[in-house]
Amino acid sequence: MINGPETSSPALLPMGFVDLLPAEAEAEARGLAEVMEVFSCHGYERVRPPLLEFEGSLLSGAGEALADQSFRLLDPASHRMMALRPDMTTQIARIAAVRMQDCPRPLRLSYAGDCVVIGTPGREGQRQIAQAGIELIGPDKAEADAEVIALGAEALARLGIANVSFDLSMPVMVWSLIDGSFSGIERESIIHALDRRDAAAVREYGGAWAELLLGMMEAVGPAASALEKLEKLDFPAMLKPHVARLRADVAAILARLPGARLTVDPVDFRGWRYHTGVCVTVFAMHSREELGRGGRYLAGDEPACGLTLNPQAFLRVAAKPKRRKRCLVPSVMVQKDLSSLHEAGYATIASLGLSGEMEQEAHHLRCSHIWKDGKPVALAR
Amino acid sequence: MINGPETSSPALLPMGFVDLLPAEAEAEARGLAEVMEVFSCHGYERVRPPLLEFEGSLLSGAGEALADQSFRLLDPASHRMMALRPDMTTQIARIAAVRMQDCPRPLRLSYAGDCVVIGTPGREGQRQIAQAGIELIGPDKAEADAEVIALGAEALARLGIANVSFDLSMPVMVWSLIDGSFSGIERESIIHALDRRDAAAVREYGGAWAELLLGMMEAVGPAASALEKLEKLDFPAMLKPHVARLRADVAAILARLPGARLTVDPVDFRGWRYHTGVCVTVFAMHSREELGRGGRYLAGDEPACGLTLNPQAFLRVAAKPKRRKRCLVPSVMVQKDLSSLHEAGYATIASLGLSGEMEQEAHHLRCSHIWKDGKPVALAR
């Protein structure tokens, strides 16, 4: 293992941008490949949009929410502004709506790539964010929501991450109450109160919806009990379909993933502005690290549901991949012998005859084996 | 096959940036994975530098030659200028010199990622360029040059590209003649003359080196005959080691790759400004498409030799990967059955019960099979 710590030297790299050294880089690449393979097995076809686009297309629709987070660049060819993508969902929606408009629905697409965000000056996290995700475009059904969530779980399980929980929410419920009944300072006050889960403030600023909002706040918890509590609340007619859909989503997820750990938070609404239905955040059970997020939205004018996994997060909790044993070999060797070593799980390190004796060179180059008399021989430690 | 043409709509994307649709995106990802696996088998360990860095580190040293081609961005956190990487070699050199300075040499590193160049306004080619490559850092030997070139050939062969040729050059020879003997307008004239392979102009502007340069021009061709012609030329002492090294490189490459198609062009010098030894361009034999390039340079103050393959180019000539058969299945199905279908090479497409009968839905979704009575059944066409 030759990797150092994952943190980068601030003198060398801008904050939030890091080098991944061999162990991490290999783990990230293998993790991405495993996850994409799971998606492929379920008929999700990979698309690869570019790293940057005109800001007009990249930061419109669902992308508008991330406009403040996007680096802009002038295109000297067109004299138009471009933006580095802060997220890939808008791009997939564009591809579905334009390039693949004639493909049958449901359209199942997968993607993997890097995104770049500006971050918050003074307290940057990662600013280059790897994403691997899926979008299921066309059907607006609980079974479609459940498929996307179930595949996220399967992808994480493939990486050795079995202990995950799914936090479900339906932010459109809170937003439609707020948008329909509050404005100006009252709107700010109730948003702030809900955001802090401040029951007293919700009672003070919630107006006609205070009781309902407090009831929704109290419902937070495991899916079964949360749904039971929501059942008893007096929702206005416009919200009833959302409550019913949340119930149907939970049932559909449990049908595909018996025993899945589902929690429901009916007042989780911040950071979900363009979503039109169920939203999900995937957490590692023990670390509570966020492994991915997704939800239902409109891709152009088509219903869609997507989920994005964050490889930077999930590789911290996933099982590290096995590395090849290293065998020092002569620099010129017949291909058949090399191939059989590779098939047997060895990496072959060609001796360039630099440090005298081969055994010494093998130790120097962290090799565990040496090619001798036509076979790999383990070195004494 | 649901992919459209690879060209992008200019109204949607900036020139030189494209979407890859399923067939291409899948081919690129699999090709990259295959190539990186070959590198890994030979002990090259993957590193993953960030997409952008401070321009001072990214565009210094070997990166200076690409400064004009780099998009710049202001970092609001540090108020320093950053640049999108136009190439990854400088980054790998930085990682070797700083982050991995204590790792034993030879240091073998591999990388894969996207680079972005400004292009030439009015006649852009691709501006987002995928790279997959290796760097062998430490030894300055013909065997090291040969290893890098041989692995390029092995990686391409893995993709089904066996008919390649390697064009070798030693640009430092021409550059040291020019740098040592010409300046001002005379320098421009001889560079221009050599660049056009204009024998009359080389004779006119070549001064004391005219005969030698003409002899080098005439030597262009298959490696054996080129070396024979070079042997007869009267090189100054400072160039003799380079001629000898070129000969040693050819011998070392042929020892590792018997029968390799090698050509030598001793006056190929443009576009190779920071290289200190042998340079190589890899071509597909029939299309003459450039598949990769590399050469010897200094990584900081360490000798290094690298090779970068261009997936966008090599995927046009490589065998297309096989795609999974598609089997329509119920949306809820036991995991064991799903897994056995995946292992048998099927992608499973969950029926979301949208278009009536399952057989009809299967046709609609381009499925070749349907799950029936506990097994995949081929659909009548």
Side-chain angles (χ1 to χ4, degrees):
Chain A
M1 301 285 283
I2 60 174
N3 62 303
E6 206 200 310
T7 54
S8 66
S9 162
L12 284 170
L13 292 177
M15 275 174 73
F17 294 95
V18 299
D19 296 318
L20 296 189
L21 296 188
E24 292 93 348
E26 193 59 44
E28 182 183 88
R30 290 205 194 182
L32 276 172
E34 296 268 17
V35 162
M36 294 303 283
E37 179 66 16
V38 168
F39 298 155
S40 167
C41 279
H42 289 277
Y44 285 74
E45 297 189 289
R46 183 194 286 256
V47 290
R48 199 235 54 182
L51 283 170
L52 41 84
E53 296 195 19
F54 290 126
E55 60 174 353
S57 69
L58 193 62
L59 307 177
S60 65
E64 214 177 315
L66 288 163
D68 290 347
Q69 276 300 311
S70 306
F71 281 105
R72 310 299 213 280
L73 307 134
L74 182 69
D75 178 12
S78 64
H79 303 289
R80 290 169 63 187
M81 287 306 286
M82 306 186 295
L84 273 173
R85 65 182 176 208
D87 184 81
M88 293 176 75
T89 303
T90 322
Q91 298 189 298
I92 310 303
R94 176 182 57 71
I95 288 174
V98 181
R99 306 285 314 277
M100 299 180 76
Q101 59 181 314
D102 297 329
C103 297
R105 268 49 176 172
L107 181 62
R108 292 172 165 94
L109 299 177
S110 67
Y111 59 91
D114 286 304
C115 301
V116 179
V117 296
I118 290 180
T120 310
R123 52 182 192 87
E124 287 84 3
Q126 295 290 344
R127 299 204 282 171
Q128 175 174 332
I129 297 163
Q131 291 191 333
I134 47 176
E135 306 291 337
L136 175 49
I137 296 152
D140 184 2
K141 299 185 69 169
E143 288 74 15
D145 297 336
E147 172 171 325
V148 165
I149 290 170
L151 289 195
E154 185 173 337
L156 292 168
R158 180 74 67 94
L159 298 172
I161 310 176
N163 283 318
V164 297
S165 73
F166 298 90
D167 287 13
L168 306 177
S169 61
M170 194 62 93
V172 67
M173 294 201 294
V174 168
W175 282 119
S176 65
L177 289 178
I178 291 174
D179 290 342
S181 304
F182 300 86
S183 62
I185 187 75
E186 290 180 335
R187 180 185 160 93
E188 293 310 308
S189 300
I190 187 65
I191 286 177
H192 191 57
L194 286 167
D195 210 22
R196 284 176 303 149
R197 314 280 164 139
D198 178 340
V202 168
R203 188 173 300 282
E204 183 176 349
Y205 300 114
W209 301 122
E211 279 309 314
L212 179 61
L213 287 168
L214 286 167
M216 287 167 71
M217 270 172 63
E218 275 165 28
V220 175
S225 67
L227 289 172
E228 202 175 307
K229 287 174 186 162
L230 289 178
E231 192 69 12
K232 294 176 182 145
L233 298 180
D234 187 21
F235 283 100
M238 65 173 180
L239 293 195
K240 283 183 176 160
H242 295 304
V243 180
R245 176 62 170 268
L246 189 57
R247 174 179 302 280
D249 280 336
V250 168
I253 296 166
L254 290 173
R256 285 198 60 145
L257 286 177
R261 290 187 193 82
L262 304 179
T263 62
V264 168
D265 182 348
V267 287
D268 180 16
F269 68 110
R270 299 286 273 178
W272 303 104
R273 199 59 183 94
Y274 66 82
H275 293 81
T276 57
V278 71
C279 291
V280 61
T281 310
V282 191
F283 288 101
M285 278 298 279
H286 301 301
S287 66
R288 290 299 290 170
E289 180 150 31
E290 186 178 314
L291 304 174
R293 53 163 50 207
R296 179 160 287 284
Y297 64 100
L298 282 176
D301 50 13
E302 286 186 284
C305 189
L307 184 79
T308 300
L309 298 175
N310 176 352
Q312 277 156 341
F314 68 61
L315 288 176
R316 278 196 285 276
V317 293
K320 284 271 180 286
K322 285 221 180 94
R323 306 180 84 184
R324 288 179 172 270
K325 293 168 284 185
R326 292 164 62 88
C327 182
L328 190 71
V329 300
S331 71
V332 175
M333 193 168 153
V334 290
Q335 188 60 44
K336 187 174 66 64
D337 289 337
L338 280 172
S339 299
S340 68
L341 281 171
H342 297 159
E343 274 159 34
Y346 291 91
T348 54
I349 318 296
S351 166
L352 295 172
L354 297 162
S355 27
E357 237 212 306
M358 249 185 111
E359 289 208 9
Q360 197 181 328
E361 188 181 351
H363 279 298
H364 169 69
L365 291 175
R366 302 170 289 111
C367 293
S368 54
H369 291 72
I370 195 166
W371 181 257
K372 211 170 175 176
D373 306 326
K375 58 179 191 293
V377 175
L379 283 174
R381 300 231 142 234
Chain B
M1 303 283 284
I2 60 172
N3 60 302
E6 207 198 311
T7 54
S8 65
S9 161
L12 283 170
L13 293 176
M15 274 175 74
F17 294 95
V18 298
D19 296 318
L20 297 189
L21 296 188
E24 292 94 349
E26 193 58 46
E28 182 183 89
R30 291 205 192 181
L32 276 171
E34 296 267 17
V35 162
M36 296 302 284
E37 179 66 17
V38 168
F39 298 156
S40 168
C41 279
H42 289 276
Y44 285 74
E45 297 188 289
R46 184 194 285 255
V47 291
R48 199 236 55 181
L51 283 170
L52 42 85
E53 296 195 17
F54 290 127
E55 61 174 353
S57 70
L58 192 62
L59 306 177
S60 66
E64 214 176 317
L66 287 164
D68 290 347
Q69 277 301 311
S70 306
F71 281 104
R72 311 296 213 283
L73 309 132
L74 181 69
D75 178 12
S78 64
H79 302 289
R80 290 170 63 187
M81 287 306 285
M82 307 187 293
L84 272 174
R85 65 183 176 207
D87 184 83
M88 294 176 75
T89 305
T90 322
Q91 297 189 299
I92 309 303
R94 175 182 58 70
I95 288 174
V98 180
R99 306 286 313 276
M100 299 180 76
Q101 61 181 311
D102 297 329
C103 297
R105 267 52 176 170
L107 181 62
R108 290 171 166 94
L109 299 178
S110 66
Y111 58 91
D114 286 305
C115 301
V116 179
V117 296
I118 290 181
T120 310
R123 50 182 193 87
E124 286 84 4
Q126 295 289 344
R127 299 204 282 173
Q128 176 173 332
I129 296 163
Q131 292 191 332
I134 48 176
E135 308 289 338
L136 174 49
I137 295 153
D140 184 1
K141 300 186 68 170
E143 288 74 16
D145 297 335
E147 172 171 325
V148 165
I149 290 170
L151 291 195
E154 186 174 336
L156 291 169
R158 180 74 68 93
L159 297 173
I161 309 177
N163 283 319
V164 297
S165 74
F166 298 90
D167 287 13
L168 305 177
S169 61
M170 194 62 94
V172 66
M173 295 202 294
V174 169
W175 282 119
S176 65
L177 289 177
I178 291 174
D179 290 344
S181 306
F182 300 87
S183 62
I185 186 77
E186 291 181 333
R187 180 186 160 91
E188 294 310 308
S189 300
I190 187 65
I191 286 177
H192 192 56
L194 286 167
D195 210 21
R196 284 176 303 149
R197 313 282 164 140
D198 178 342
V202 169
R203 187 173 300 281
E204 181 178 350
Y205 299 114
W209 300 122
E211 280 310 314
L212 179 61
L213 288 168
L214 287 167
M216 288 167 71
M217 269 172 62
E218 275 165 29
V220 176
S225 67
L227 289 171
E228 204 174 306
K229 287 174 187 163
L230 289 177
E231 192 69 11
K232 293 175 183 146
L233 300 179
D234 188 21
F235 283 100
M238 66 173 180
L239 293 196
K240 283 183 177 158
H242 294 305
V243 180
R245 177 61 171 271
L246 189 56
R247 175 179 302 280
D249 279 336
V250 168
I253 295 165
L254 290 172
R256 285 198 60 147
L257 285 178
R261 290 188 193 82
L262 303 179
T263 62
V264 168
D265 182 348
V267 287
D268 180 16
F269 69 110
R270 299 285 274 178
W272 302 104
R273 199 58 184 93
Y274 66 82
H275 294 82
T276 57
V278 71
C279 291
V280 60
T281 312
V282 191
F283 288 101
M285 279 295 280
H286 301 300
S287 66
R288 289 300 289 170
E289 180 150 31
E290 187 178 313
L291 303 174
R293 53 164 47 207
R296 179 159 288 284
Y297 65 100
L298 283 174
D301 50 13
E302 286 186 282
C305 191
L307 183 78
T308 300
L309 298 175
N310 177 352
Q312 277 156 339
F314 67 64
L315 288 176
R316 277 196 286 275
V317 293
K320 285 270 178 285
K322 285 220 180 97
R323 308 182 84 184
R324 289 179 172 269
K325 292 166 285 183
R326 293 163 62 88
C327 182
L328 190 71
V329 300
S331 71
V332 175
M333 192 167 153
V334 290
Q335 188 61 45
K336 188 174 66 62
D337 289 335
L338 280 172
S339 300
S340 69
L341 281 172
H342 298 158
E343 275 159 34
Y346 290 91
T348 53
I349 319 297
S351 166
L352 296 172
L354 296 162
S355 27
E357 235 214 305
M358 248 184 110
E359 289 207 11
Q360 198 183 328
E361 187 180 352
H363 279 298
H364 170 69
L365 292 175
R366 301 170 290 112
C367 293
S368 54
H369 291 72
I370 195 166
W371 181 256
K372 211 168 173 178
D373 306 326
K375 58 178 191 293
V377 175
L379 282 174
R381 302 226 141 239

